[in-house]
Amino acid sequence: MEPEAGPVLYQKLLVWEPSLESEEEEEEISEQLIPDPWGPQDSSGNKAGGLPGAWARLVAALLLLAIGFSLAVRQLHSSSGSPGTLGSGAPPPSRHSHGPGVYPHGAIISPAATCSHLGQELLVAGGNVVDAGIGAALCLAVVHPHTTGLGAMFWGLFYNSSSGNSTALTSGPAQTLAPGLGLPLALPALRLLHTHFGRLPWPRLLVGPTTLAQEGFLVDTSLARALAAQGTKGICPLLCRTDGTPLGPGARAINPKLAAVLHRAALAPTPDLTGDALLSLLAQDLGLEGPSAGPRPTLEPALRLPVPQGILFTTPSPSAGPELLELLEAAQQSGGPSPDPCPPRLLAAGTTGSSVLATVDSGGSVLLLTSSLNSSFGSGHLSPSTGVLLSNLVAKSAAWACPLILRGRLDDNEADVLGLVASGTPAVARVMTHTLLSHLVRPQTHAQQGPTKSPRPCIQGTLLQVAAHAEHAHVSSVPSGCCPSQGF
């Protein structure tokens, strides 16, 4: 296990007021018009070609006083008329505008606008990419129960730009709580990641998700579509109207039982105890004596593969990381063209319960998180005591996650960092990521150019891309616009 890395700190940009720039220019022009009282004078004490010395000094003083008073009044008027400004005359380090998905300090991208906004709030509050990612993941566990939740399995990949180390988070092999029901390890996994790399206090990360579960959240289009396809079996009354029909877009849902679980998790002193309260309640619901003590989530060094642009990092087994690295290494050695991104056996739609998110800062630190319930709404079993939908992950069904980070040459302190994470069916995640990276490993391709789009679409899935380039954070998604981003 790697030594604990120091926190990543952020500094908030000062707000630039365009009016102040023109004022500074006006001051410079005005000063050039003021006669110099110490300039060359004639023998009578008069300034060469002008007023007597005493009068020149008096006029200069009055002009300076008038200009200073005028600027002060305009400054006060500008500050009072611009809500939210910092009242500072200093312009920001950069006065150029940023395109969509480009942020000066840090950014987060996730499938839900509410959760991206929550992650942004944690960044602005002084948190780092780990804090923002975990907060957003717990938010998604509330607002997207069809793809993730406290009953899901989590994998993560964290690149720390300060140390140059990349660390993988794994929940271990899929375990069962009962036949057909996966053992939930989301809380201890995320708490373990925070303990080693987070900056903000652990309870701070759960404030937003707990509030959403307690006070309610609006059903978005993604959840509404899943509800319409799933029906109401196993999910009422949590996501149903009083007449038993599923909630539609814009309807408000609440989950007070889940809020109570999150509140108790916020008070747990250690990662191992973070999920124990949930497991005890689940055991009571299922009539079990108690959850068996199986493998716990772990942090370990990420797998790495040298490529022409630098080093590629991914997660170890149980995940698709080792398989992916073998494919890429073979492609490098063969020097052949990229494989067909859409083999015939994959040209069929499939449904899955998986979710991804990514956070990045301008310094190059990246966190990629992927989680899975294995299918939409997982097992469809809603725990009445916890408000948690359990997954139906069993045996090797979880071995498809493959978040990847490409770091430029390690001898270059200003090298770009690129992160890729995909969701969808297991085949989609592997094919999408392999196709994109097969372009990146070519010598003529540079990481800052980003991945090349597939020639034609495969099956349904989502790919998130984040990058640190030119001291800015960049985020994007495929398909474009599927996942809202926020930054500062």
Side-chain angles (χ1 to χ4, degrees), residues 8-16 92-108 120 123-124 129 360-365 467-475 485-488:
V8 181
L9 302 177
Y10 302 96
Q11 181 178 0
K12 188 176 182 181
L13 281 176
L14 296 177
V15 175
W16 169 52
S94 174
R95 299 181 182 179
H96 60 272
S97 60
H98 301 100
V102 181
Y103 304 92
H105 282 253
I108 178 167
Q120 178 208 36
L123 288 174
V124 174
V129 297
V360 59
D361 67 26
S362 57
S365 290
H469 171 61
E471 298 183 349
H472 283 68
H474 301 248
V475 295
S485 65
Q486 292 282 341
F488 80 110

Side-chain angles (χ1 to χ4, degrees), residues 12-172:
K12 188 176 182 181
L13 281 176
L14 296 177
V15 175
W16 169 52
E17 300 180 58
S19 60
L20 300 183
E21 182 180 6
S22 61
E23 291 164 10
E24 293 172 359
E25 295 172 356
E26 177 181 333
E27 183 176 359
E28 293 175 1
I29 297 173
S30 300
E31 290 176 352
Q32 294 172 4
L33 298 177
I34 298 173
D36 185 359
W38 293 276
Q41 299 178 355
D42 60 18
S43 58
S44 66
N46 293 347
K47 195 168 186 211
L51 297 171
W55 280 105
R57 287 192 291 273
L58 178 60
V59 170
L62 291 174
L63 283 173
L64 285 172
L65 181 62
I67 292 171
F69 181 77
S70 175
L71 290 175
V73 171
R74 291 179 64 184
Q75 170 70 27
L76 289 173
H77 180 268
S78 174
S79 298
S80 62
S82 303
T85 63
L86 299 179
S88 171
S94 174
R95 299 181 182 179
H96 60 272
S97 60
H98 301 100
V102 181
Y103 304 92
H105 282 253
I108 178 167
I109 184 168
S110 81
T114 298
C115 301
S116 294
H117 180 70
L118 187 148
Q120 178 208 36
E121 289 181 339
L122 294 173
L123 288 174
V124 174
N128 57 22
V129 297
V130 172
D131 297 318
I134 292 175
L138 292 170
C139 171
L140 289 170
V142 176
V143 306
H144 273 189
H146 59 302
T147 61
T148 185
L150 299 190
M153 290 278 286
F154 272 82
W155 299 263
L157 190 61
F158 172 54
Y159 177 76
N160 189 328
S161 61
S162 300
S163 65
N165 294 326
S166 192
T167 303
L169 168 70
T170 62
S171 297

Side-chain angles (χ1 to χ4, degrees), residues 109 358-360 366-368 417-420 464-468 474-476:
I109 184 168
T359 58
V360 59
V366 173
L367 175 66
L368 308 176
V417 177
L418 174 70
L420 299 168
L464 303 184
Q465 174 182 314
V466 297
H474 301 248
V475 295
S476 61

Side-chain angles (χ1 to χ4, degrees), residues 353-381:
S354 63
S355 182
V356 289
L357 67 87
T359 58
V360 59
D361 67 26
S362 57
S365 290
V366 173
L367 175 66
L368 308 176
L369 285 175
T370 179
S371 58
S372 177
L373 292 169
N374 194 48
S375 57
S376 185
F377 294 100
S379 64
H381 180 90

Side-chain angles (χ1 to χ4, degrees), residues 259-280:
V261 170
L262 291 171
H263 177 71
R264 295 179 67 174
L267 304 178
T270 66
D272 286 343
L273 295 177
T274 302
D276 284 357
L278 171 61
L279 292 178
S280 298

Side-chain angles (χ1 to χ4, degrees), residues 320 324 346 352 354 356 370 400-404 421-436 459-463:
L324 183 62
L346 298 177
T352 183
S354 63
V356 289
T370 179
W400 59 266
C402 50
L404 298 121
V421 60
S423 71
T425 64
V428 144
R430 286 195 297 266
V431 171
M432 289 180 68
T433 311
H434 182 211
T435 301
L436 294 168
I459 53 183
Q460 297 177 355
T462 299
L463 180 92

